[in-house]
Amino acid sequence: MIDYINISLDAATPETFAKLKYSGNPSGINIFNHLIANAKNLVNARNESEDSKLEINASFIVYPDNYHEIYKAAKLLKGIGVGTLRMKQDISGKNLLSLEQTKETEMLFAKIDELVDDKFRFVKIHQLNNPSEMERSFNHCMITDLVAAIGSDGNVYPCNYNACVGGVPYGNVIEHSFSEIWEGEDRKKIKKQLPEICPTVCDPFKNRSNRLFQAISASQQKFGSEMTEKYVQEIIGAINTD
C-alpha cells in the first residue's frame, strides 16, 4: 500500500504553472486545474479510508519566476488538506534568487510558518542562495545501493538527478523485472561510473549520506565491522539521550 506521495507543484496559479512546466503552452493551465482537482480527490479518498496512512506532500522549487507565489501555494495546499509543503531551490545554481528576491521570500516563509499546525508542515529542504550546499562533496556514490528512480518511461536510474535527458538507465521495468535490473550487469557497470557521469551538483541529503557512508567504510577498513557497529550504536544512543 502506498503511504507517501509528493506532488510537484512549483506554482499557485495556472499561468505560472504553465510558464514553468509547459513553456507557456495554454494546455498547462488545464493541467494545473486538473492536478489541483486530483489532489482534492486524493485527500478525500485518504480521509474516507479507515486503513490509509497516506502522507500527501507537495514540493515547490523556488525560482525568480515563482517565488512570489509560495505563500499562496501554501494556503492553497493547506486548504486542500495536503500535509506538507517542501521548499527546494534550483540545484543547478543557474536560477537562484537575487538578494532582494531572497529577502522577499524569507518574509513569505515567515508568513507560511504561521500556517503550520498539527496538520500542516513547512519543510525547507535547501538553504536559500547557498550554492556550496549543493556542490558534490563525495567521490563514491554509496546511496545508490539503497535508492533508485523510475522514470515515467519505465527506465530505472541511479537516482532522481539522473532521470533526465541524457541520463544513463540501468534498464527498463517494462521490459525486465526490477530484481533482474537491480542485480544485472548493466547496473554494475554504471555503478562504477558514478558519480563521474552524474550532474555536477547534488542535493544536501545525498551529500550528507555519502559522506556518512564514506566515514563508515573507512572505519570498517581501519577497525573492522564489529567495532564500527559499536561506534554507530554509541552515536545513536547519544542522539536519543539528547
Side-chain angles (χ1 to χ4, degrees):
M1 180 180 291
I2 296 175
D3 58 10
Y4 181 98
I5 190 169
N6 184 75
I7 302 166
S8 178
L9 190 62
D10 301 339
T13 62
E15 293 76 17
T16 299
F17 183 88
K19 179 180 180 181
L20 289 175
K21 295 181 178 291
Y22 294 90
S23 302
N25 191 307
S27 64
I29 292 176
N30 294 329
I31 293 172
F32 176 86
N33 293 329
H34 192 55
L35 183 151
I36 297 300
N38 282 344
K40 292 178 180 178
N41 292 335
L42 183 62
V43 170
N44 290 336
R46 188 271 313 274
N47 293 344
E48 291 173 0
S49 172
E50 296 181 359
D51 301 323
S52 178
K53 297 181 180 179
L54 179 63
E55 182 180 335
I56 304 173
N57 308 267
S59 58
F60 193 110
I61 300 177
V62 176
Y63 296 111
D65 288 331
N66 71 348
Y67 74 93
H68 57 285
E69 292 190 0
I70 191 167
Y71 174 69
K72 187 175 180 180
K75 289 190 66 176
L76 172 65
L77 293 167
K78 182 177 181 179
I80 291 173
V82 172
T84 303
L85 171 60
R86 296 162 55 86
M87 182 283 296
K88 300 180 180 182
Q89 64 176 344
D90 174 35
I91 65 159
S92 72
K94 298 177 181 179
N95 294 291
L96 299 179
L97 305 181
S98 67
L99 291 177
E100 187 62 34
Q101 290 170 339
T102 299
K103 292 178 181 178
E104 293 180 37
T105 304
E106 289 173 343
M107 292 174 62
L108 293 173
F109 285 176
K111 291 182 64 177
I112 295 174
D113 287 335
E114 296 176 1
L115 299 175
V116 173
D117 54 26
D118 58 348
K119 294 184 178 180
F120 183 74
R121 297 190 306 154
F122 179 41
V123 180
K124 306 177 187 71
I125 304 298
H126 295 152
Q127 300 176 27
L128 283 179
N129 281 4
N130 184 13
S132 62
E133 180 191 34
M134 300 177 290
E135 293 175 0
R136 192 165 63 226
S137 57
F138 56 88
N139 52 33
H140 183 52
C141 189
M142 301 183 189
I143 191 68
T144 49
D145 285 327
L146 302 178
V147 301
I150 300 178
S152 58
D153 54 2
N155 280 337
V156 182
Y157 297 91
C159 78
N160 57 307
Y161 284 62
N162 293 82
C164 58
V165 177
V168 182
Y170 296 145
N172 190 288
V173 291
I174 298 173
E175 301 169 358
H176 303 281
S177 70
F178 184 83
S179 60
E180 288 177 321
I181 294 170
W182 192 256
E183 302 296 336
E185 291 300 317
D186 285 345
R187 178 173 176 270
K188 293 178 183 178
K189 292 177 183 178
I190 292 172
K191 280 281 294 175
K192 293 179 181 180
Q193 302 176 57
L194 303 177
E196 284 75 17
I197 62 173
C198 297
T200 57
V201 294
C202 198
D203 66 74
F205 168 73
K206 294 184 184 67
N207 268 324
R208 290 193 298 267
S209 297
N210 280 308
R211 289 198 301 268
L212 173 62
F213 292 148
Q214 284 183 174
I216 291 174
S217 178
S219 176
Q220 287 179 324
Q221 293 177 22
K222 185 174 182 179
F223 303 110
S225 298
E226 188 173 327
M227 285 301 297
T228 298
E229 177 64 23
K230 178 184 177 183
Y231 295 146
V232 170
Q233 292 303 320
E234 288 177 354
I235 293 172
I236 293 174
I239 293 173
N240 290 337
T241 300
D242 293 341

